[in-house]
């Protein structure tokens, strides 16, 4: 799955809101995959998280009985919200036993019998025993089951729950305005057991023969194509659909959907049938995702040199979906905002997000589904790899997006930010009890995982990387693997010590900072490079960490191509670069590919800064230098005033992604300074920074403009509006009035910035106007865009109304957390949102208990404070109200609060003086 959209990291909260302003849709980094936003894990949905303090005792299911095939028949009742089921499981009894232990949650088993192969007599259970804590059921038999093949038959029933996990119900509105329900599934990580008793572990693979009994007037989908349809005796309103047998696969990848849908379809170049299912009457909104999917399948076939192994693939939009998407084999489920694009009303950002999520989920059809991690410890392999290759795919399908530059801002820098905390974790974390899985569905697994794979791909080269991927997938298809299996295949293909290198990146927490200084010797530049662990709180005296760091070096004579590469496998080294003039600059990490920060000596940095201003440095390098300097300033190694001066060197910047990263860091400064006397001068500083590019872009697209220009305009207007640029506020107000009156429709790329700007500077009437727009909106993207803008209001009574509205019946549970998060875009909003979360905690905890949305809620409502007293307050609250699913997030938030407090105490005076002097000029 994608994570935003998968589960949670505590990265700069206000930066999340920056992303929302871009166009109302969630960027990758906000939802599940890192970056300047809320963490990336939200993109896909996952299991539950255990308390970090006390690991639950856990044993995996016994190996004495193993499934080989499930013949599963389910009949959902969309009125009573229940389902009945019958399964005949073909098993191999490896060792004679009188009990069978399986996973089962909220399932009532009526009967269970066993029949050995070549026997005609069923053996009924003597007792059926449930263990709620371990989510298991034990079937006791009066005598031992003989070794060999047999069939286990169970009849059962369960609930179509409203928890967005397992086999659940989702509410939608029909074209005639009626409330209806569909039945859908979300099984990753450990919720197949809510739909049928099974061996719900990724390594217990089997084939599945699915039969669904459903109303005749409903669409019913599963992983495979329908092979038989027949009437149900005595029930004219029902039909029985039998689907082809699946490949051997894990339980978490099984899926079924029953509801009302339209679809658009196409075939890829190999004839694979691709369908995108949409709400009734909205199939036009599926065309963009279809175009991407039809290009993507052949791309992956060519990259992996393995054809897509199923006859069809369906992509379907689900109205209620906790995550962003889920890679079920042959039936990929999505939030509506991650799949549907309205040609007239979707923003450029929304299109890009859909392309990335489609690329991510289809990559899993090979990497994750065909070859699956052996246990959740190796989850990062699935998610980190898919989070890397989705960019490779989008770069192929839509090169005009310049998506690899965006990767640096959305994934790479967010992972660096989180991984510098004491409360980070290694990429590869031992997982015992499945309750612990959600702790690692976060920015580290997704974005750091993607970043180190990008670094490895660059180090060994694309040709050897492809060979290694083919070796890996071919050797382990339909099987399960460990991280070391991938390293072995890539090492075999490249002849390089991949396992030795990568273990330093996956098994230890954090990353290095490379301190570099230079001396000129004739026509050569001699660099001294030293590595140490980078810590958000500043240099650590006790540092035993050491990485094997692929280092590349560029010069002003070769800005885009490395002139020297090396593997730094010791504490420090000396490197000589030939043919460098005294005034030339030398830079580490061209393309910002290596997962480390660089701390230059002052003379090296002085040579680089003019190349930022005249843009002779490539965009990824301009972005990387600024981001490293900002992190060094925040950790106390550099001066924050210096980073403000560096930011001013970007006044003529033209690249969207560079501005996006600057915006995320400005958001962090805004959070830091919003309660200080210098905040008005800081707002003037931001206005001055964005005015030049704002005047150049204007409000309306110009001939020849592209995708990135539209996204840049959105982010620039957002910031001019937020920080009080009067001309922007006036124009935004005028354009919203025209939009509401129908005089002139507001372009989709402008709606997020305009809504937020007008709400921030408006009154109760403005708020009511936006509520009216929300209620009239038909496109879910537009509803989400408005919902996430509502918190921009500035009056305390309106902020409180937004918070109360978040828990009303007008807001879907999947969106409530982000409405509350939107209210934290101001100092007063942060105070009120945190109080609201405390006051309504019981209700919120009950709603989101055991899911990653709870961690998002904690992150949004706590991580933006800057006072030590708030950190203690947050810790005390969660001591009294334990939230195991969010425990790591609580620790990360409190660490961020204390880092902010130290930063403010250290630099507030100098920042204030600089801004005051600057404002007086």
């Amino acid at each position: 799955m994608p994570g935003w959209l998968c589960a949670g990291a505590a990265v700069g909260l206000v930066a999340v809101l920056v992303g929302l302003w871009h166009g109302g849709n969630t960027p990758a980094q906000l939802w599940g995959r890192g970056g300047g936003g809320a963490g990336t894990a939200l993109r896909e949905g996952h299991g539950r998280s255990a308390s970090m303090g006390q690991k639950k005792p856990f044993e995996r299911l016994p190996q004495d009985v193993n499934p080989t095939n499930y013949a599963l028949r389910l009949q959902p009742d969309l009125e009573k919200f229940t389902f009945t089921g019958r399964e005949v499981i073909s098993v191999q009894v490896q060792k004679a036993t009188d009990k069978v232990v399986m996973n089962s949650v909220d399932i009532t088993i009526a009967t269970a019998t066993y029949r050995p192969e070549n026997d005609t007599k069923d053996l009924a259970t003597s007792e059926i025993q449930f263990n709620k804590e371990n989510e298991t059921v034990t079937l006791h038999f009066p005598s031992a089951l003989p070794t060999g093949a047999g069939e286990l038959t169970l009849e059962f029933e369960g609930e179509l729950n409203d928890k967005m996990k397992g086999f659940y119900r989702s509410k939608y509105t029909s074209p005639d305005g009626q409330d209806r329900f569909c039945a859908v599934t979300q099984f990753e990580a450990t919720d197949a057991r809510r739909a049928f008793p099974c061996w719900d572990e990724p390594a217990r693979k089997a084939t599945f023969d699915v039969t669904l009994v459903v109303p005749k007037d409903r669409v019913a989908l599963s992983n495979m194509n329908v092979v038989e349809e027949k009437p149900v005796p005595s029930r004219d309103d029902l039909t029985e659909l039998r689907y082809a047998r699946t490949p051997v696969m894990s339980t978490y990848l099984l899926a079924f959907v029953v509801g009302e849908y339209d679809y658009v379809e196409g075939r890829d170049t190999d004839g694979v049938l691709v369908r995108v299912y949409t709400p009734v009457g909205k199939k036009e909104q599926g065309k963009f995702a279809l175009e991407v999917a039809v290009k993507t399948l052949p791309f992956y076939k060519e990259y992996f040199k393995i054809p897509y192994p199923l006859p069809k693939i369906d992509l379907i939009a689900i109205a209620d979906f906790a995550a962003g998407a889920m890679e079920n084999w042959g039936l990929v489920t999505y939030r509506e905002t991650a799949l549907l694009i309205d040609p007239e009303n979707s923003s450029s950002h929304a299109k890009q997000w859909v392309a990335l999520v489609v690329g991510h989920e289809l990559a899993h059809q090979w990497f994750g589904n065909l070859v699956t991690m052996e246990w959740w410890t190796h989850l990062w392999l699935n998610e980190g790899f898919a989070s890397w290759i989705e960019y490779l795919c989008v770069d192929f399908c839509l090169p005009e997006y310049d998506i690899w530059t965006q990767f640096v801002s959305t994934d790479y820098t967010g992972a660096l930010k989180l991984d510098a905390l004491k409360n980070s974790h290694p990429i590869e974390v031992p997982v015992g009890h499945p309750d612990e899985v959600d702790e690692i569905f976060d920015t580290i697994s997704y974005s750091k995982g993607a970043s180190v794979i990008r670094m490895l791909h660059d180090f060994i080269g694309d040709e050897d990387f492809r060979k290694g991927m083919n070796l890996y997938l071919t050797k382990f298809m339909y099987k399960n693997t460990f991280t070391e299996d991938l390293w072995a295949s890539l090492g075999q293909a490249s002849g390089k010590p991949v396992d030795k290198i990568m273990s330093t990146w996956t098994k230890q927490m954090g990353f290095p900072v490379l301190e570099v200084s230079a001396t000129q010797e004739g026509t050569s530049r001699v660099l001294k490079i030293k590595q140490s662990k980078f810590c958000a709180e500043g240099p650590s005296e006790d540092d035993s960490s050491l990485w094997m760091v692929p280092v590349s070096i560029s010069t002003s004579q070769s800005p885009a191509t490395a002139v020297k590469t090396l593997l730094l496998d010791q504490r420090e080294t000396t490197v000589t670069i030939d043919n460098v003039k005294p005034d030339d600059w030398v830079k580490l990490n061209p393309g910002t590919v290596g997962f480390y920060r660089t701390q230059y000596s002052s003379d090296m940095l002085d040579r680089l800064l003019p190349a930022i201003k005249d843009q002779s440095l490539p965009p990824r390098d301009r972005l990387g230098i600024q981001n490293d300097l900002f992190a060094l300033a925040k950790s106390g190694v550099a001066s924050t005033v210096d980073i403000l001066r560096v930011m001013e060197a970007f006044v003529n910047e033209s690249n969207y992604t560079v501005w996006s990263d600057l915006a995320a860091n400005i958001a962090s400064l805004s959070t830091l300074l919003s309660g200080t006397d210098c905040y008005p001068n800081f707002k003037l500083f931001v206005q001055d920074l964005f005015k030049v590019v704002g005047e150049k872009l204007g409000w309306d697209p110009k001939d020849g403009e592209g995708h990135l220009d539209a996204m840049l305009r959105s982010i620039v207007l957002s910031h001019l509006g937020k920080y009080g640029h009067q001309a922007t506020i006036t124009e935004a107000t005028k354009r919203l009035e025209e939009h509401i009156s129908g005089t002139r429709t507001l372009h989709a790329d402008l709606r997020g910035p305009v809504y937020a700007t007008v709400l921030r500077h408006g009154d109760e009437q403005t708020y009511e106007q936006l509520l009216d727009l929300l209620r009239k909106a038909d496109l879910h993207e537009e509803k989400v865009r408005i919902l996430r803008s509502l918190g921009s209001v500035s009056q305390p009574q309106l902020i409180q109304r937004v918070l109360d509205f978040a828990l009303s019946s007008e807001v879907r549970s999947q969106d409530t957390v982000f409405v509350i998060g939107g209210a934290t875009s101001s100092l007063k909003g942060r105070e009120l949102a945190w109080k609201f979360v405390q006051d309504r905690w019981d209700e919120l905890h009950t709603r989101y208990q055991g899911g990653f949305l709870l961690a998002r809620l904690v992150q949004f409502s706590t991580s933006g404070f800057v006072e030590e007293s708030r950190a203690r307050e947050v810790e005390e609250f969660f001591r009294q109200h334990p939230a195991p699913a969010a425990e790591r997030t609580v620790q990360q938030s409190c660490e961020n609060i204390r880092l902010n407090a130290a930063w403010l105490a250290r630099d507030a005076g100098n920042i204030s003086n600089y801004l005051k002097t600057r404002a007086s000029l």
Side-chain angles (χ1 to χ4, degrees), residues 167-189:
F167 199 14
Y168 70 93
R169 63 185 186 264
S170 174
K171 186 178 179 181
Y172 62 97
T173 304
S174 66
D176 62 0
Q178 300 298 309
D179 284 343
R180 303 275 184 85
F181 290 89
C182 59
V184 301
T185 56
Q186 171 55 43
F187 289 164
E188 189 174 19

Side-chain angles (χ1 to χ4, degrees), residues 22-25 284-286 288-289 336-354 401 707 710-711 745-752 778-783 785:
H22 284 185
N25 199 39
E284 290 291 314
Q285 295 177 19
F288 177 73
E336 290 188 8
T337 51
L339 188 67
L340 304 183
I341 291 297
D342 183 321
E344 299 298 322
N345 295 295
S346 286
S347 68
S348 300
H349 213 282
K351 288 184 72 174
Q352 181 173 293
W353 178 239
V354 167
Y401 285 10
H707 172 82
M711 299 217 306
T745 301
L746 195 56
H747 193 281
D749 286 312
L750 297 178
R751 291 183 196 176
D778 185 43
L779 179 68
H780 192 63
E781 178 194 330
E782 175 71 354
K783 287 181 179 290
R785 187 158 39 218

Side-chain angles (χ1 to χ4, degrees), residues 569-726:
D569 58 359
Q570 51 198 338
R571 182 67 60 195
E572 56 185 275
T573 192
T574 300
V575 183
T576 299
I577 310 294
D578 296 325
N579 302 315
V580 179
K581 299 173 186 174
D583 292 335
D584 286 352
W585 55 257
V586 173
K587 182 185 181 297
L588 268 62
N589 206 9
T592 315
V593 175
F595 195 75
Y596 56 85
R597 293 205 182 277
T598 306
Q599 181 181 345
Y600 294 101
S601 59
S602 57
D603 59 319
M604 290 187 74
L605 188 59
D606 286 344
R607 288 190 181 95
L608 282 163
L609 292 182
I612 292 176
K613 200 161 191 174
D614 67 16
Q615 301 187 46
S616 57
L617 262 177
R620 294 172 209 175
D621 295 281
R622 303 198 296 270
L623 188 162
I625 289 173
Q626 181 269 146
N627 198 278
D628 283 348
L629 280 171
F630 190 84
L632 289 164
K634 187 172 181 179
S635 70
V637 173
S639 160
T640 306
V641 168
D642 286 344
I643 191 63
L644 291 173
R645 291 194 179 104
V646 169
M647 284 180 170
E648 291 188 286
F650 287 86
V651 69
N652 294 313
E653 179 61 53
S654 59
N655 184 274
Y656 159 74
T657 309
V658 176
W659 274 114
S660 179
D661 197 71
L662 273 165
N665 289 333
I666 285 167
S668 295
L669 282 171
S670 177
T671 299
L672 187 75
L673 301 174
S674 56
T676 68
D677 292 341
C678 71
Y679 192 60
N681 285 334
F682 175 73
K683 289 166 68 176
L684 291 174
F685 170 84
V686 180
Q687 287 183 47
D688 288 345
L689 194 59
F690 281 89
K691 268 193 302 194
V692 174
V693 66
E695 289 168 2
K696 189 181 298 182
L697 285 168
W699 278 81
D700 299 306
K702 300 175 179 64
D703 290 342
E705 275 193 1
H707 172 82
L708 294 170
D709 296 302
M711 299 217 306
L712 178 57
R713 177 176 290 106
S714 179
I715 198 173
V716 169
L717 292 176
S718 293
H719 281 71
L720 288 171
K722 176 180 179 180
Y723 293 99
H725 185 245
Q726 191 54 54

Side-chain angles (χ1 to χ4, degrees), residues 73-77 82-86 156-158:
R73 185 180 191 272
L74 291 171
Q75 181 173 337
D77 187 323
T82 59
F83 62 90
T84 57
R86 183 177 189 271
F156 55 91
E157 61 182 36

